[in-house]
Amino acid sequence: MICDEWRSRGGRDYRQVAVTSFLADDVCVHLSVKGCQPRFRDELKMNVNQQPHMASPYGQPQSGYQGYQQTGYGNQHVPGGYPTPYAPYNGPASTYQPGPPQGYSPYASFSSKALATNLVSDLSSPSPLDLGMRGPPTSGPPPVSGTQAYSQFGQGDTQNGPPPMAALQQRPSVSQQYTHGTMQLSGPQSSFNQPFGAPPTSMQQMTNQMSGMQIGSTVPSPAGPGYAPPTVSQASASAAYTPSAPSSFAPSSAVHSQPLPPDSVAQTAPQPFYGAPPTPPQPFPGAAPPFSAAGPAQPPAPPLGSQQSFSQAHPPSQPQFTSAPPPVSTASYGGPPPTTQASHPRAPPLTSQPSTFSGGPPPTSSPSQYPQPMPQQPPVSQPNPFHSGPPQPTTAAGFPPQGGPPLRVPHPGVQGPPMTSQGPPTSQTNHVAPPQPGMLPGPPPVNMAGPPAQPSMQGYPPQQNGAFGQVRGPQPGYVGQYPGQQSYVAQPPAQAPAPAPKRLDPDSIPSPIQVIEDDKLNKGNEPFVTGVRGQVPPLVTTKFQVKDQGNASPRFIRCTAYNMPCTSDMAKQSQVPLAAVIKPLATLPLDENGPYIVDHGESGPIRCNRCKAYMCPYMQFIEGGRRFQCGFCSCVTEVPPHYFQHLDHTGKRVDCYDRPELSMGSYEFLATVDYCKNNKIPQPPAFIFLIDVSYNAVKNGMVAIVCQELKTLLDYLPRENPNVASNIRVGFVTYNKVLHFYNVKASLAQPQMMVVSDVADMFVPLLDGFLVNVAESRVVIESLLDQIPDMFADTRETETVFGPVIQAGLEALKAADCAGKLFVFHSSLPIAEAPGKLKNREDKKLVGTDKEKSLFQAQVSFYSNLAKECVAQGCCVDLFLFPNQYVDVATLGVVPTSTGGSIYKYTYFQGQADQERFLNDLRKDVQKQMGFDAVMRVRTSTGIRPTDFFGSFYMSNTTDVELAGLDCDKTVTVEFKHDDKLSEETGALMQCAVLYTSCSGQRRLRVHNMAVNCCTQLADLYRNCETDTIINYFAKYAYRGVLNNPTKNVRDSLINQCAQILACYRKNCASPSSAGQLILPECMKLLPVYLNCVLKSDILHPGADISLDDRAYLRQLVSAMDVAESHAFFYPRLLPVHKLNVEGNALPVAVRDSEERLSKGGVYLLETGLNLFLWVGANAQQELLQNIFGAPAFSQIDPNMTSLPILDNPYSKRLREIIESFRAQRSRYMKLMVVKQEDKLELIFKHFLVEDKNNSGGASYVDFLCHMHKEIRQLLS
Amino acid sequence: MTTYQEFIQQNEDRDGVRCSWNLWPSSRLEATRLVVPVSCLFTPLKERPDLPPVHYEPVLCSRANCKAVLNPLCQVDFRAKIWACNFCFQRNPFPPSYAGISEVNQPAELMPQFSTIEYIVQRGPPTPLIFLYVVDTCLEEEDLQALRESLQMSLSLLPPNALVGLITFGRMIQVHELSCEGIAKSYVFRGTKELTPKQIQEMLGLMKPGVSGPHGQPLAPHDAAASCRFLQPVQKVDMNLTDLLGELQRDPWPVPQGKRPLRSTGIALSIAVGLLEGTFPNTGARVMLFTGGPPTQGPGMVVGDELKTPIRSWHDIQKDNARHLKKATKYYEALANRAAVNGHSIDIYACALDQTGLLEMKCLSNLTGYVGHIVMGDSFNTSLFKQTFQRVFSKDYNGEFRMAFGGILEIKTSRELKVSGAIGPCVSLNSKGSCVSENELGVGGTCQWKICSLSPSTTLALYFEVVNQHNAPIPQGGRGAIQFVTQYQHSNMQKRIRVTTIARNWADAQSQIQHIEASFDQEAAAVLMARLGVFRAESEEGPDVLRWLDRQLIRLFMFHLRRSPFLQVFNNSPDESSYYRHHFVCQDLTQSLIMIQPILYSYSFYGPPEPVLLDSSSILPDRILLMDTFFQLVIYHGETISQWRKARYQDMAEYENFKQLLQAPLDDAQEILQTRFPMPRYIDTEHGGSQARFLLSKVNPSQTHNNLYAWGQESGAPILTDDVSLQVFMDHLKKLAVSSSA
């Protein structure tokens, strides 16, 4: 990773050169050893300059390793980090093991705090790599600076260190957990040990770190007491370390490398640590395994312990850093800084180093600063500087990566990953103090410190943002800092010789959590005003208020880019997709007003004569208000007399602010009869419930539940005025192999059932009495719903039909001449003889072959034709599936997904257990506001045009999106392409008009307007993107792609496009850095992690245990998802519940989706938008369990519970509140699953830890990032 | 020996048989010269209050292809306990149960007065009667209400154990499930799609094991009753069904302006047939179709739903303009055959002002039904329908329904005779036997016919051929014999076999021509020939038939038949013609004669009521006429009488006699109305009244506008017609009779 930088730097500095050579060796080794896998590492190493390495160094593995370590990873991490990385590596790839020693070293280096810090900063900022780079270079030089660095690092490390440690430990734990336990013990450990042993001297650092760890234990008091002091402790530790190090190192190293270390070595040390910091286990959940080994010791360690442990961890890392880094850093820094900068252009932002840097800039001061800040708030302190810096950077964008990231790191990081580098420490420290508290304090201090830092930061920001050039400027300053880092790097090398871990520290790479938290902090406090063109709205994860001042709220429209390239060449070059995710009928929070209704009278809405765009704020009134010029096509249209109004001196209409259509982004027109089908005012829509009553459906309780529920649910049909009964009519059908229609006319004493057996040629047997008003026919309907379950209680019919069921509903709507929605409750594959009959074609052998796409395609064309008819009639179909086996969702879902409907799937439905989820979904689905028989059209200003649409709808031509039904959750993604040049002056305008029938039968037009900026500089484009939206688009694009292309091709093209985007940025906006550096635009720094989630999703990368139905189901589901849901879907929210603050409203800060972030003593809530998991660590405190479950012990928790017991304690209440609030945010009810650690269910849970490698071979975040980097480099070269 | 007239009367009373000739020419050659074939009218279930059925099995001839039943004509050797079959001369031993037989201890079947005897036999479990109502809901509310009431009323008339089912139809067809509690269930079919019997049974859920027996085998009735949700015992579902009928709604689908309602009669019937076929094959059942208009969609449609296209007329048919005629006819014929095979009959109650497609559907009843179960009226809300329908369920002197089901008539003849065919409400069973003639008259080529539904008046015309060659004279005193074996299910669920054996002497035409002439039964011959004519008119086409008819009829002097609606289609719609013909071929001799030549009674102050000539000269101002044409009952008040009546003389005490005069025909008419099935159309009219046309069209136009003044005296009423009068007809006839070309 950093290699290139190193090289570049190396060019300047011979030391670096040397380093690179080392690196090269490493790389070579890896490659030779590992084969494929190495690549990732290579990538990681990429930073290091794999290429060069490749060639030379086989011979000198160690050196190489060193190099790696140096690369910077090594420094801090070496000790702890190594183990982890190794472990995983060991586990997965045997090759690695061979490599391990080498690899380890690099990894170790990565893992090492230094790396972590560096990486983080770098990655977060584009520079993480740089950091690594720095590291390496430093590696060479380390010695000298080392000392200095040490001091700094010591402090910084403490901060930085700890996190890495944590990270390291975690990782190791993870890896260990997986394979490690044994692995490390046997092979790796030995290797590690050996390496350590070998490089003892160099190891000092390591040892230091290790010792730090241990030492912590040994020197518990210092470490423990003083996180604040951590620096101190570290310092002391370092001191101590050095001394103790040698002896202890081996063990410690072992410990680190293996989580186990604690056991062997640790026992002495770890225990103390633990003892001191009880929590250690938590922080180390990953480490847990080791702990488990060491278990006893750790467990004892209370919360504090955890912190301590971290601290410990950190210390070791730090020590390393200190040891190694200082020398190198200093030395190299002189040289490196530039490199770092270069890499960091964002790097400056390197903030990762930033911490160090921040400290650094004040570099020298940094140490001092650190100490200072640190002292104030050790963790925070760093953060602060960062924060100060970061905030800007983030805002600044550019560097933010580095600076930003770091900043982020600090902020969020303090607690979390960001901290990784520093964060970890901070986190630890924070934790130590109070994780959050730490945060809290942190921020304030940050702010406090921030201000001062900020200035510098600000200074940076500019650099970061853009400007690499600027960056450089600042960099120099950084250089100073860098040295420190470099020194770290240097250190690693020193250590490297021993065991250079090869892995990137996850804490050092951009953290989604950090980004989310930053955004919350920066944008969550004040309302988002839409009046300014091209403004990027807050993230979907941020709570904010919107003020509509002329553009549609981001709740309605989100764009991938708010600065569109002016020319198609630019667009092509950048490869950034230009798309808008539109949710036309989105529900707004209570504190925001829904679109106002505008009535332009009998002549209908006023529109442009040529392009037919509706009156909107982009219309320019001219000639004293007598005409207006269309903002889209520039055509001039007369203002009708009744609409005339004078203009004021600015050329605005006097009534501008009285008319929503002239001042707002979203509003609704009342449509006239000209906008109605057949020029007839539409009838109120109808809901038809079609219930499967075959054996399976009756037996699993579905029929009884539906019938029971409908009795009350029918009172809540959507209506516009809550005081008036709904106009929607309802009808009922049951079916198995034949259909039963019910006459529920109010005048009947009893409902009448009409059986239609002629399913081959469906028709509706009755006209009058099928669709009825609920209020009028209540008695009959209730009687019917009471009787249905009884009537079919003894059924032996197992075959069902499906096509005719939809046909029946469709025919009924046709007969009644209205639009409407069908609710189909279906249980099995329709194998009965009838149109739309399906075969069981479940064939998992096709997965992974070129024929895989056929699994996503409909089995027969019948349903697509049917869908067409449905759309023509405005018949929306919602499908509730209750399958016990394969039902061919791919085919059954065709109609729902083409008609704007939804599919709900309850596999192995069991009345008792799944009732709640189903009923909540049903209630929501029935009650939600929706429009019927809708047509959506997107108009754009000249220069771009909508070219592609994604979602649940049907299109009979290329412009009109036809939706039989459109509810408040349905989203349509529109892609735009250039067909001409755009001008910066006017920007790009789009107007989305949706013509629909409201639930009361009124015909309306909802109009959303959106204007974005246009830019001639690519940098502007990259600065104003929204990654979440891009991911939403990518997912939809890819998920549609699998219909027609082999999955592999789809994956490749995604990766490719993503690489191009980033490469383009790198090439055009971040040029000054070396090729080995991975530089990510601030706005897109999460692109790799999210993209990896998309690639790993069950659709693109199915595991063995996922059914074809599930894949089809998810595929269809995602196609209509909005950004918020797709975000949670791809990157689930993982909340450490045990850190819940019962007092306030704030949620604990989420943690990253990685197993190593889980603490064995913790309880976590994971939310994917579809599922809720409550993961309970095996060592969770009894009090916690008692509070949540009312169970006295872990073993007494019932893993089958679907809802938490209602306990009268604030904790339980708060947790349940949170769960409820999560559920309220999603369109589907999430069933709660309690997952106990080590339980069978955990496998499912782990599937959602998307930063980890998954069972089916999906890459971990780190690996993927490396891969990405490699791709980018290829593109660049 | 009594006169032939007495003989004929006696034979008819005892056996229900009227032969055209009561002495049979002994050779084929002679027989063909007689013009009127050797034939008879046979009323299988003629009511015989004096005939107690016997409770044992008939004794059959042991020859495999004979199987004649022991009868009084057989020679019996009491000593050897042997009897000789009088048809095949096989000698058969009596069964063991006849061991005690002797000259003084003879079983009933050997006694001469039991030439007709009825056996009650045990054949399988008794099956209940089945009534399946097929009800059109495309009716005016008023009509529907009347129909609803009639149907509800009919439930009380059904035997309590009878199975009843309900199918309603309009645009769609609903088969109602009767056994369910709570929700009323029905199976719905669309009216445009033809379904195979198997599909229908599948769709009705009748194919599942345990639900219905193997195809072709009747289920044990209790099983069937329990398992078939559509046919349930009246006593069990009485309330349900009454409610169901009460809630019966008009077809809810809107009928646009200028359209006929969509009526899926064809599919409704095919479902009814399919339902019974699947559940109760070979069991007596009636499908009762109540329809208020022509089928307008689906297979069997008679006319499209566009009102601008009128329903086919004879004119269209002759011009071959009736688009749907052939297809529909074919469709219904196929249905009828299926129903007949399973012994199910189909009744049609069609009440509408316009035609309803009886022409196409008639075969349903012709082939499967019996008398009168085509009923045609103007509305369900008329007494014509209501009382006719009620009369379907009338009971006989034993308190049993006058209906029988699943009849099979088998004919055995002595060697000199073979059977050529039958005309009447029957289907051939295609049973070839030694007594089957190669020449067909009517439905021939078989010696067995199926008569799905019988009433005491159901009468078949049977035609025979003398096959004895001229050179093989029959010995003097030889007798030819015919045995009619009718198996049927009595309305009380018993299986019965009625055996009638008749014998007639052979006569040598050369030597005994006078005897043969004397034995001619003019009435029977008229009806037999008329049936032949109607049969040909219906079943064949083209002018040849008409010519043949003319020739035959002229020879037979059947002036009125020639003018009757059975042969003349002028002024009748195709439906009406079908209706008339249907009844003509079902009714017994007396009724048939009335149809051929309506009866006209005259009431006056000058004497008791007297029959008068059916002639325009009978229409006098001071008479009240009562005409009975079988289908109509017309009371006609002469000009003077009607003026008196208008002056309300009858209300004055001093004109009590006038009141009585007015009342007399009413009373007589009432008497006829009460026995006639179907109810005749009852018309009370007067001179100059529009309805007087019914009378005027029937009378012999002896006075027309052409000869009105030639007669010089105003008596009677002139008829405005170009039809030939009897006088002209006779003149022409005389000419023909003496010409050699006849």
Side-chain angles (χ1 to χ4, degrees), chain A residues 911-929:
Chain A
Q912 279 308 314
D914 301 310
Q915 173 171 0
E916 196 187 357
R917 178 162 73 110
F918 163 55
L919 287 183
N920 278 289
D921 282 346
L922 177 60
R923 284 173 198 145
K924 224 173 211 173
D925 198 51
V926 169
Q927 296 176 24
K928 66 184 167 191
Q929 287 295 333

Side-chain angles (χ1 to χ4, degrees), chain A residues 605-735:
Chain A
I606 293 165
R607 312 170 66 170
C608 165
N609 268 350
R610 186 198 290 162
C611 70
K612 300 294 177 195
Y614 295 88
M615 178 55 63
C616 67
Y618 313 140
M619 300 298 186
Q620 189 73 42
F621 286 85
I622 54 176
E623 294 182 25
R626 275 173 293 145
R627 299 175 174 209
F628 66 89
Q629 182 169 30
C630 176
F632 298 92
C633 68
S634 305
C635 172
V636 174
T637 305
E638 291 277 345
V639 174
H642 69 267
Y643 196 66
F644 176 81
Q645 184 60 260
H646 292 287
L647 307 184
D648 66 11
H649 62 283
T650 61
K652 267 188 188 166
R653 275 172 66 118
V654 173
D655 63 352
C656 175
Y657 293 102
D658 300 333
R659 291 188 175 271
E661 75 271 26
L662 298 180
S663 55
M664 312 277 288
S666 305
Y667 42 88
E668 271 189 356
F669 287 115
L670 286 185
T672 62
V673 77
D674 295 337
Y675 292 82
C676 301
K677 198 185 268 178
N678 304 328
N679 284 341
K680 251 177 19 193
I681 297 290
Q683 302 270 341
F687 280 3
I688 302 178
F689 298 90
L690 305 113
I691 308 167
D692 181 353
V693 289
S694 66
Y695 177 78
N696 283 336
V698 172
K699 194 173 162 232
N700 68 21
M702 180 272 279
V703 174
I705 291 171
V706 171
C707 290
Q708 180 60 33
E709 180 63 20
L710 282 183
K711 278 194 271 185
T712 50
L713 190 53
L714 293 179
D715 290 332
Y716 300 98
L717 297 178
R719 65 198 81 184
E720 280 171 272
N721 179 349
N723 301 322
V724 180
S726 174
N727 282 339
I728 292 177
R729 290 175 295 167
V730 297
F732 303 89
V733 173
T734 59
Y735 67 93

Side-chain angles (χ1 to χ4, degrees), chain A residues 900 1147 1234:
Chain A
L1147 294 176
V1234 174

Side-chain angles (χ1 to χ4, degrees), chain A residues 36-57:
Chain A
C36 299
Q37 293 181 344
R39 285 189 181 179
F40 282 13
R41 299 171 183 176
D42 292 349
E43 295 173 355
L44 291 175
K45 297 169 184 178
M46 293 292 288
N47 302 329
V48 180
N49 289 339
Q50 298 174 348
Q51 298 174 345
H53 299 292
M54 293 300 288
S56 61

Side-chain angles (χ1 to χ4, degrees), chain B residues 255-275:
Chain B
V255 179
Q257 192 98 37
K259 302 259 189 180
R260 296 186 175 91
L262 289 172
R263 193 181 272 112
S264 325
T265 320
I267 297 295
L269 284 172
S270 94
I271 289 169
V273 170
L275 171 60

Side-chain angles (χ1 to χ4, degrees), chain A residues 753-755 757-758 763-764, chain B residues 174 184 186 188 190 193 203:
Chain A
M753 171 184 186
M754 309 178 90
V755 184
S757 324
D758 187 6
F763 61 98
V764 176
Chain B
Q174 279 178 267
S186 59
V188 188
R190 71 169 24 177
K193 190 175 166 193
M203 289 180 180

